[in-house]
Amino acid sequence: MTHQFGSAHKGSLTAIVDIGSNTVRLVVFHGPARIPLPVFNEKVQCRLGLGIDQSGCLNPEGVSLALETLNRFMKLVEVMEVDNVSLLATAAVREARDGPHFVQKVKDLFNADVQVLSGEEEAKLAAFGVLSGLPDADGLLGDMGGASFDLVALDQGRFSQHDTTPLGHLRILDEKRKTVTQMRDFIHEHLKPLSWTNQMKGRPFYAVGGSLRAVARLFMHRLDYPLHVIDNFTLPTDQALNLLDQLVQMTPEEFMQVPDVSKKRQETLAAAIALLQEVLETIKPSCLVFSGYSMREGQFFLSLDEDQKAKDPLISSCINLVEREGRFGQQGEEVFHWMTPLFANESDKHKKLRHAACLLHDIAWAEHPDYRADHGFLRVLRLPVAGLSHHDRALMAACVYSRYKGNFNARIAKPLRTFLDNDDAIWTKTVGAALRLAHTLASGAPHLLEDTHLEIRGGELILSLPEGEDIFIGEAVARRVQTVAKHLNLSGRLEHD
């Protein structure tokens, strides 16, 4: 039987098979791109590391399930015509006496080599995953898997000290440790010797791994948080500890009411909660930052060439999105430079977010006109880009929402009212009004904007238009110039060169 996955992806797919101590996962990324776009993501909880401390070997039932799972995964990557496939194994395979036998079995069955990561390699891949979105991350990274908990110190994006501990959730939940106190004593015993972590006090703690992401979902549920994007979900340490205390008191029935946390993942929550409590109380970081990225994204990042790695993750992702879905090519670049005179004193951060909003300003062009504001807002708010703070997401989404004349008091706009203050609202509405004006002037046609010019002069916003060019003359243009000027507390007028 012949299969075809899709010509749009052919020759541009990278697959990473993560043979973890708890799960075996296949992620297929579309690339090369600065930030990977997953086109397929499936995991099976095989629990290879279950009981490894007692037996010294991989869980036999887990081995059978893992080989069955790998058989499906390897067939899938063949059907998808994936050229670049990496198989990575972590702590359980690394430590088990029969780990080499398992690796050879995979080789014999699938003609595929498995890279068994050392603790250092595993830790650094997780760090590269976080750094792919936060190039200047500064603090302590902790990656919790099934059999290990890896720690890496990050100094403005550079690696410093690191350690691997046996604090994976399968080990913490050993049958000998039935209470939170027993689990925390076990965790404390392994963290205490790592004196270098004391230097991380007052800096962020970056939480990586599926069990820790499940804790983030619990936090969001308790807070009725308006944005369900795990990456860069950040809480002050005191607030996080207070929430962890609340989670300890929750019943199993209450856990089951939390959406997007599977029953199997719920079984790991006690270990993840105990670990976070011990880390936050012992190290005292400034805040807890959850990452949606991990060693799989780190492996993808390392596969990029140096030019790709050097690109800004946000701007590069927006350009790629526009190339896939846009109707006017890179007109967003023209719009960005055209409106820059309105924002002479903006910060570097606001300049980059405005740049991204300009690139995405036409993102909802194919939607029904009555729903373009809502669709554009949600697309930008949930953009699959690592490293954006939730405040930054709201700023970008508000710019696009305003460009489509969205109502900031509408129910769908609740995240804007949560994350943005009055100054933020004024800035985003100014950007949005300028985007509407640009679209009215050029209607997406290339280079038309280059014939016009915005200028703030003597308390006025002036739009200069070329003499005799009727294409720019109209009531809508004059009205939208006044709207932009109003957001800037200026009067507005048209001027002909």
Side-chain angles (χ1 to χ4, degrees):
M1 183 179 295
T2 301
H3 303 272
Q4 186 172 4
F5 179 67
S7 59
H9 296 302
K10 187 174 180 180
S12 59
L13 297 177
T14 295
I16 297 172
V17 182
D18 178 0
I19 306 172
S21 304
N22 185 50
T23 62
V24 176
R25 182 191 294 263
L26 167 65
V27 184
V28 180
F29 296 110
H30 185 264
R34 177 59 178 79
I35 291 294
L37 179 66
V39 297
F40 185 86
N41 189 333
E42 182 178 306
K43 68 177 179 180
V44 177
Q45 194 170 45
C46 298
R47 294 193 165 188
L48 283 170
L50 185 65
I52 193 172
D53 286 342
Q54 288 75 36
S55 68
C57 295
L58 297 172
N59 171 22
E61 293 180 0
V63 169
S64 297
L65 183 54
L67 293 175
E68 176 185 303
T69 299
L70 288 171
N71 181 58
R72 166 175 161 77
F73 287 173
M74 298 308 289
K75 283 181 169 24
L76 282 171
V77 298
E78 182 180 359
V79 169
M80 294 180 188
E81 300 183 48
V82 180
D83 293 325
N84 184 11
V85 183
S86 298
L87 281 75
L88 309 176
T90 58
V93 175
R94 178 174 69 239
E95 297 178 20
R97 288 197 304 270
D98 57 348
H101 176 74
F102 174 81
V103 170
Q104 186 60 47
K105 187 75 171 175
V106 174
K107 172 73 172 178
D108 294 341
L109 288 172
F110 312 115
N111 192 29
D113 292 320
V114 177
Q115 180 184 355
V116 182
L117 301 173
S118 67
E120 178 180 354
E121 289 170 332
E122 188 176 346
K124 286 191 173 181
L125 279 182
F128 274 120
V130 172
L131 292 172
S132 67
L134 289 170
D136 297 320
D138 185 78
L140 179 65
L141 179 147
D143 180 11
M144 186 184 198
S148 67
F149 176 57
D150 304 316
L151 291 160
V152 184
L154 299 173
D155 182 10
Q156 292 295 316
R158 295 183 297 273
F159 295 115
S160 184
Q161 291 178 274
H162 56 84
D163 263 300
T164 296
T165 69
L167 295 177
H169 56 77
L170 293 176
R171 282 171 156 156
I172 294 173
L173 292 171
D174 186 280
E175 60 184 19
K176 294 180 295 186
R177 291 177 282 277
K178 297 184 180 298
T179 68
V180 172
T181 299
Q182 289 172 328
M183 287 189 282
R184 289 196 58 179
D185 286 345
F186 175 70
I187 296 166
H188 183 77
E189 174 188 339
H190 287 280
L191 291 182
K192 186 176 180 181
L194 308 182
S195 58
W196 62 267
T197 59
N198 296 331
Q199 303 167 25
M200 299 294 108
K201 180 179 179 180
R203 297 159 75 181
F205 174 71
Y206 301 96
V208 177
S211 293
L212 299 183
R213 288 193 292 272
V215 174
R217 292 187 179 92
L218 289 171
F219 283 176
M220 290 176 168
H221 181 72
R222 298 289 292 190
L223 294 170
D224 192 22
Y225 198 72
L227 177 59
H228 288 187
V229 174
I230 299 296
D231 190 60
N232 243 27
F233 173 46
T234 302
L235 292 172
T237 295
D238 288 347
Q239 185 181 15
L241 283 170
N242 180 265
L243 285 167
L244 288 168
D245 288 340
Q246 295 178 36
L247 297 187
V248 170
Q249 306 301 320
M250 285 177 64
T251 65
E253 292 73 23
E254 289 176 310
F255 279 128
M256 294 189 66
Q257 294 174 12
V258 179
D260 302 323
V261 179
S262 68
K263 183 178 179 181
K264 288 185 176 180
R265 186 58 76 187
Q266 289 172 23
E267 296 169 4
T268 73
L269 285 171
I273 291 167
L275 179 70
L276 277 179
Q277 284 183 311
E278 196 64 31
V279 167
L280 298 184
E281 290 181 8
T282 302
I283 298 171
K284 297 180 172 57
S286 59
C287 59
L288 171 61
V289 184
F290 291 95
S291 174
Y293 281 29
S294 64
M295 55 171 276
R296 294 175 292 275
E297 288 77 17
Q299 177 75 6
F300 179 91
F301 179 74
L302 290 180
S303 72
L304 299 176
D305 61 39
E306 294 306 312
D307 288 342
Q308 285 279 7
K309 291 177 184 176
K311 291 180 180 179
D312 180 88
L314 173 60
I315 300 303
S316 178
S317 295
C318 292
I319 290 173
N320 289 341
L321 179 59
V322 171
E323 287 175 346
R324 292 195 308 271
E325 302 181 20
R327 58 173 170 168
F328 295 137
Q330 290 303 319
Q331 198 214 17
E333 290 286 350
E334 293 181 38
V335 175
F336 168 65
H337 295 294
W338 173 81
M339 71 164 68
T340 292
L342 304 181
F343 304 94
N345 299 315
E346 70 184 338
S347 66
D348 289 342
K349 168 187 164 180
H350 280 80
K351 183 177 182 179
K352 183 164 77 169
L353 295 176
R354 181 171 60 84
H355 189 179
C358 288
L359 290 169
L360 300 176
H361 78 282
D362 200 42
I363 194 170
W365 71 271
E367 305 294 344
H368 187 285
D370 292 348
Y371 295 98
R372 284 176 183 161
D374 289 358
H375 281 284
F377 166 70
L378 293 176
R379 284 289 306 277
V380 176
L381 189 68
R382 300 166 180 173
L383 200 66
V385 177
L388 275 177
S389 74
H390 289 187
H391 177 254
D392 291 349
R393 287 179 178 277
L395 283 171
M396 288 172 50
C399 290
V400 173
Y401 191 56
S402 181
R403 172 259 187 272
Y404 287 111
K405 298 192 288 186
N407 179 3
F408 277 53
N409 293 317
R411 182 178 179 183
I412 196 172
K414 180 182 177 182
L416 302 183
R417 299 190 294 275
T418 299
F419 295 119
L420 305 185
D421 61 22
N422 187 58
D423 288 342
D424 291 330
I426 292 172
W427 181 81
T428 57
K429 288 177 180 179
T430 304
V431 175
L435 289 171
R436 286 201 307 280
L437 174 59
H439 185 73
T440 301
L441 284 168
S443 301
H447 311 304
L448 268 181
L449 279 179
E450 296 174 359
D451 294 333
T452 72
H453 177 68
L454 284 172
E455 181 183 1
I456 296 176
R457 187 198 321 150
E460 287 185 310
L461 170 64
I462 300 168
L463 173 63
S464 298
L465 302 172
E467 188 70 46
E469 289 285 356
D470 293 345
I471 193 171
F472 297 117
I473 304 301
E475 184 274 337
V477 172
R479 172 165 43 86
R480 287 182 175 169
V481 168
Q482 293 299 333
T483 300
V484 177
K486 180 180 178 182
H487 288 303
L488 294 167
N489 290 320
L490 302 171
S491 59
R493 67 179 174 89
L494 305 181
E495 181 178 276
H496 294 275
D497 294 334

